[in-house]
Amino acid sequence: MGIITQDAIDQFQASMEQVDEPLKRAFQNIHQGYPAETLFRFLKAREGNITKAHKMLVDCLKWRVENDIDNMLAKPIVPTDLYRAVRDSQLVGLSGYSKEGLPVFAIGVGLSTFDKASVHYYVQSHIQINEYRDCVILPSATKKYGRHISKCLKVLDMSGLKLSALSQIKLLTIISTIDDLNYPEKTLTYYIVNAPYIFSACWKVVKPLLHERTRKKIQVLSGCGQDDLLKIMDYASLPHFCRREGSGSTKYLQNPVDNCFSLDHPFHQQLYNYIKQQSSIHEPASPIRQGSVHVDLPELALEERDIAKSLESELQKFDNRDGLCGSLDDLKIIND
């Protein structure tokens, strides 16, 4: 990747002054007072090519305007029991902060089932966490640590990864593509822990397909990763599945409040209350409507399609052993 110069950022910024007013407002909402840093992220995602970065950012802004993303944090998933079901099947949470102040997000890849709601609820929930990270968590960290913090760390727990993960590849690829196209360069490092053999087999296939920029961000740690992670964060910020060798995402938890995936965890309580509060501000006289927010789902890029197909192929090598059947072609997006 070429060096991204200040001149390139200045040219990019000048080109953004020509976009329509709705896109300018959307750009103000995403840069949070740091336009140059945001332009740098999009330039980095497009190898420093100003033309490609401009198209990427404009497409992102159009997506935000057309899908009312700026108001996504005012659209709660109700009733609460449904939101709890989403949280119990889409395992993600904020476990703490690194020693440098970066938020640490934990993701239970292996034990997420995505089987309690339609795909639109899971996409809505994912975008809400992204927006809450960018609009609340990162600005708060910036203020607390006295320097601009614009990235996070992610710890991916592979405990429980099974062949049934094949049925989730399409949804996970959609979510990944949303992040790649609209939230580029927001994660500094991905730490993979508790990786079973099936992950190792898939990783060998997927790794060569990843862009070099992405590969450099991924670190596969030994066991639960505790020793390595304690070099960059305190014990209190470790995800619960990293606090005990072989603990997995849910085993050995005495208190659900310690489980950052749980709706009872402080992070999710704050997030859900924030969304309900924003909803009451935007529509104070209206009852909260049930139903998911339907966001335009992206066309998968060539890289994502290749990765999904390769994962499918590798997982199906275990077919005879575990009786897996079906393919990505059979997977359908379930509407409400």
Side-chain angles (χ1 to χ4, degrees), residues 280-293:
S280 66
I281 293 173
H282 281 72
E283 298 183 60
S286 303
I288 297 176
R289 292 187 301 170
Q290 295 188 27
S292 63
V293 175

Side-chain angles (χ1 to χ4, degrees), residues 19-282:
V19 302
D20 296 337
E21 279 303 318
L23 300 189
K24 287 182 179 178
R25 288 195 295 271
F27 181 54
Q28 290 176 346
N29 288 333
I30 68 169
H31 69 56
Q32 295 285 315
Y34 295 91
E37 189 275 346
T38 301
L39 296 173
F40 180 88
R41 288 195 293 109
F42 280 82
L43 278 168
K44 188 173 181 180
R46 288 296 178 263
E47 308 300 312
N49 186 303
I50 298 174
T51 301
K52 291 181 179 179
H54 179 269
K55 182 182 185 305
M56 181 187 186
L57 179 52
V58 168
D59 288 345
C60 165
L61 298 176
K62 288 179 179 177
W63 173 78
R64 295 185 67 87
V65 171
E66 291 167 2
N67 293 281
D68 198 25
I69 301 298
D70 288 341
N71 292 316
M72 185 62 75
L73 287 176
K75 300 174 181 179
I77 295 175
V78 292
T80 304
D81 285 347
L82 174 59
Y83 187 63
R84 183 177 293 277
V86 170
R87 291 276 55 85
D88 289 344
S89 53
Q90 183 184 32
L91 304 180
V92 59
L94 179 72
S95 66
Y97 294 82
S98 73
K99 294 176 181 178
E100 294 185 349
L102 276 65
V104 179
F105 282 89
I107 302 172
V109 177
L111 293 176
S112 291
T113 57
F114 298 101
D115 60 352
K116 305 299 184 185
S118 77
V119 66
H120 295 287
Y121 281 113
Y122 291 115
V123 170
Q124 177 182 350
S125 172
H126 179 78
I127 293 173
Q128 286 177 332
I129 291 175
N130 279 357
E131 292 294 305
Y132 189 72
R133 174 198 65 197
D134 294 349
C135 297
V136 178
I137 297 295
L138 291 174
S140 296
T142 294
K143 183 177 181 180
K144 178 179 179 179
Y145 290 92
R147 64 182 185 85
H148 184 216
I149 295 175
S150 62
K151 296 178 182 289
C152 67
L153 304 176
K154 291 184 178 179
V155 184
L156 281 59
D157 179 27
M158 297 295 167
S159 298
L161 188 66
K162 299 176 182 178
L163 293 178
S164 56
L166 177 62
S167 64
Q168 304 163 19
I169 291 176
K170 188 170 185 178
L171 174 56
L172 291 173
T173 307
I174 288 170
I175 288 175
S176 175
T177 302
I178 287 174
D179 284 353
D180 290 345
L181 296 179
N182 303 291
Y183 303 93
E185 299 298 323
K186 297 297 292 188
T187 301
L188 181 65
T189 309
Y190 298 87
Y191 298 100
I192 295 174
V193 302
N194 296 321
Y197 172 73
I198 190 173
F199 168 79
S200 301
C202 293
W203 179 238
K204 290 178 182 177
V205 174
V206 171
K207 186 176 180 180
L209 300 176
L210 295 174
H211 194 283
E212 181 183 3
R213 185 181 70 254
T214 303
R215 285 201 304 270
K216 289 181 177 179
K217 295 181 182 179
I218 299 173
Q219 295 187 29
V220 182
L221 305 183
S222 175
C224 69
Q226 182 178 130
D227 292 342
D228 292 302
L229 292 174
L230 284 176
K231 297 174 183 177
I232 59 172
M233 67 186 73
D234 295 331
Y235 185 85
S237 290
L238 283 176
H240 55 277
F241 49 79
C242 295
R243 296 185 181 186
R244 194 166 176 176
E245 192 72 33
S247 63
S249 289
T250 57
K251 296 179 183 177
Y252 308 116
L253 285 178
Q254 300 298 320
N255 187 348
V257 175
D258 295 332
N259 179 352
C260 66
F261 298 150
S262 171
L263 180 55
D264 298 317
H265 188 272
F267 166 71
H268 282 298
Q269 285 292 302
Q270 293 163 12
L271 167 61
Y272 197 46
N273 289 334
Y274 181 89
I275 293 173
K276 290 190 290 185
Q277 180 185 48
Q278 292 299 306
S279 176
S280 66
I281 293 173
H282 281 72

